[in-house]
Amino acid sequence: MRIALIASVRHGLREPHAGGLERHTADLSRALRDQGHEVAVYASGDSDPELRVTPICPSATRLDFSDAARGDVSMLSDRFMDEHHAYLSLMLSLADADVDVVHDNSLHYLPVAMARTLRAPVVKVLHTPPTPWLESAIAHRDRSTVLVSVSHANAATWSTPVDAVLHNGIDLDRFLPGAGGDGTAVWVGRLVPEKAPHEALRAARLADLDLAVVGPAPDADYFAREVRPLLDDRRTWLGHLDGDAIIARLQAADVAVVTPAWDEPVGLGVTEALACGVPVAGYARGALPEIVTPDCGVLVPPGDLPGLARALRQAMALDRSACRRRAEALGSIDRMARSYLQVYEAALT
């Protein structure tokens, strides 16, 4: 099958990945190619060369607009215009492309709004709760656009019914179980308010546990205000690590903590922790209750810091092999790719 895979251009597809969406897109492209399909990946030019990306913008930074355009008071933000130009150009180029299906992993409205100009069906994957621009485009989609959500919880946030729910798979041959035993907790993700690492730090202090915080800190104000004051000799920030370093940290940890301050649409980091044999303590919000079962984690109401501190200690006593089995039940990248192929085939009938 000939597949056009559209990525988000906010970040390049390369290690260390900016987030789960970038890792998911890169992994899916590899899995589809490994299964014998032709995959054209449309992403920013600063992606991993191994992915053989067709760049739709030079990098995840800036395009060049004229001074006259920038001086127009009606011009929207630079990032908005960057993305608009990139996806408009892409969709116009795909109008006559010789592909069987277009898989849209972007967060942009144009691939959906312009889907009816293509000869191939579009499979639009909803990786987030509704955003106004995308919700508007989806409300006017035609029958050639298939909607897939990454969780049942995320699907329920959209006013338009989805056609399928497919949980993201992970590389189970890379995220392998570790022995744990270092007595520490680990938190992995972007250090931003909606993921609330500051609450993980507070819960770890209440539980008298060491905590390693791993991930990029793109919001400097939030980091300085909410995170840095909570760091000490036992609660540390390790920075933005690549995949192998994250796996090593997970394999050594005794518990992973997850603190979404929004309806987390997918728990890719949770599945990765479980695959490494790490029990999970976190908030019962968004997709987490779909992923974390009582034999592999302990969930508490959002914002319950004393409860989360107790959950950290309780989860540490759970069977690590049960965590791995849960990750295997959720599925591998290969399983995910095969599931998407079934969606593609149905869209072509």
Side-chain angles (χ1 to χ4, degrees):
M1 191 174 289
R2 295 160 299 181
I3 303 159
L5 176 56
I6 304 176
S8 170
V9 296
R10 294 185 180 180
H11 305 283
L13 305 181
R14 64 185 311 136
E15 295 270 8
H17 289 293
L21 176 56
E22 288 73 32
R23 181 185 297 280
H24 162 77
T25 304
D27 285 345
L28 178 61
S29 69
R30 294 187 184 99
L32 290 169
R33 285 170 176 165
D34 288 346
Q35 293 179 20
H37 303 282
E38 296 179 20
V39 183
V41 182
Y42 297 94
S44 67
D46 54 352
S47 298
D48 185 346
E50 184 266 339
L51 293 175
R52 306 192 301 277
V53 159
T54 300
I56 58 175
C57 61
S59 67
T61 52
R62 296 270 74 89
L63 295 177
D64 186 24
F65 292 97
S66 68
D67 290 341
R70 292 183 184 281
D72 187 335
V73 295
S74 69
M75 181 172 173
L76 299 173
S77 71
D78 282 352
R79 190 175 81 169
F80 182 95
M81 293 307 304
D82 290 344
E83 294 186 357
H84 177 87
H85 181 76
Y87 289 115
L88 177 61
S89 301
L90 171 63
M91 295 306 292
L92 291 172
S93 70
L94 287 177
D96 297 317
D98 189 18
V99 298
D100 296 308
V101 66
V102 175
H103 179 125
D104 178 22
N105 258 357
S106 78
L107 305 177
H108 206 265
Y109 65 95
L110 276 177
V112 177
M114 298 180 67
R116 68 187 63 210
T117 68
L118 308 185
R119 292 183 293 181
V122 172
V123 173
K124 171 61 191 170
V125 184
L126 304 174
H127 292 278
T128 67
T131 57
W133 292 89
L134 187 51
E135 196 169 41
S136 174
I138 286 173
H140 295 285
R141 81 188 197 281
D142 67 6
R143 294 179 61 186
S144 67
T145 301
V146 177
L147 294 184
V148 176
S149 174
V150 292
S151 68
H152 293 281
N154 188 56
T157 66
W158 289 83
S159 58
T160 302
V162 303
D163 300 294
V165 172
L166 295 179
H167 288 101
N168 291 343
I170 66 167
D171 188 348
L172 292 171
D173 293 328
R174 186 182 185 193
F175 286 84
L176 294 171
D182 71 355
T184 69
V186 62
W187 185 99
V188 180
R190 287 179 293 112
L191 279 67
V192 290
E194 63 267 26
K195 293 186 178 289
H198 66 281
E199 296 194 13
L201 287 160
R202 289 174 178 157
R205 188 183 297 269
L206 287 174
D208 192 29
L209 278 176
D210 292 358
L211 173 66
V213 175
V214 177
D219 188 332
D221 290 340
Y222 165 74
F223 182 84
R225 183 180 67 253
E226 300 287 352
V227 177
R228 190 181 296 281
L230 299 174
L231 300 175
D232 55 30
D233 291 342
R234 298 184 59 194
R235 268 68 60 171
T236 59
W237 175 48
L238 303 185
H240 194 187
L241 305 181
D242 64 22
D244 289 341
I246 290 173
I247 292 168
R249 183 80 283 273
L250 287 171
Q251 290 171 333
D254 282 349
V255 62
V257 57
V258 189
T259 49
W262 70 317
D263 291 330
E264 190 77 49
V266 64
L268 195 63
V270 176
T271 308
E272 291 171 350
L274 294 174
C276 292
V278 188
V280 171
Y283 291 150
R285 187 165 189 178
L288 265 66
E290 294 179 37
I291 298 170
V292 178
T293 53
D295 60 340
C296 66
V298 181
L299 299 180
V300 301
D304 182 0
L305 286 178
L308 183 59
R310 292 191 295 272
L312 283 165
R313 289 290 183 181
Q314 294 165 0
M316 291 173 74
L318 295 175
D319 181 9
R320 295 179 72 92
S321 62
C323 299
R324 174 67 184 189
R325 289 195 296 272
R326 178 57 181 157
E328 292 172 344
L330 289 166
S332 66
I333 293 173
D334 288 339
R335 184 276 304 162
M336 176 181 67
R338 289 193 296 271
S339 296
Y340 273 115
L341 285 166
Q342 292 176 351
V343 173
Y344 302 160
E345 290 164 359
L348 288 166
T349 60

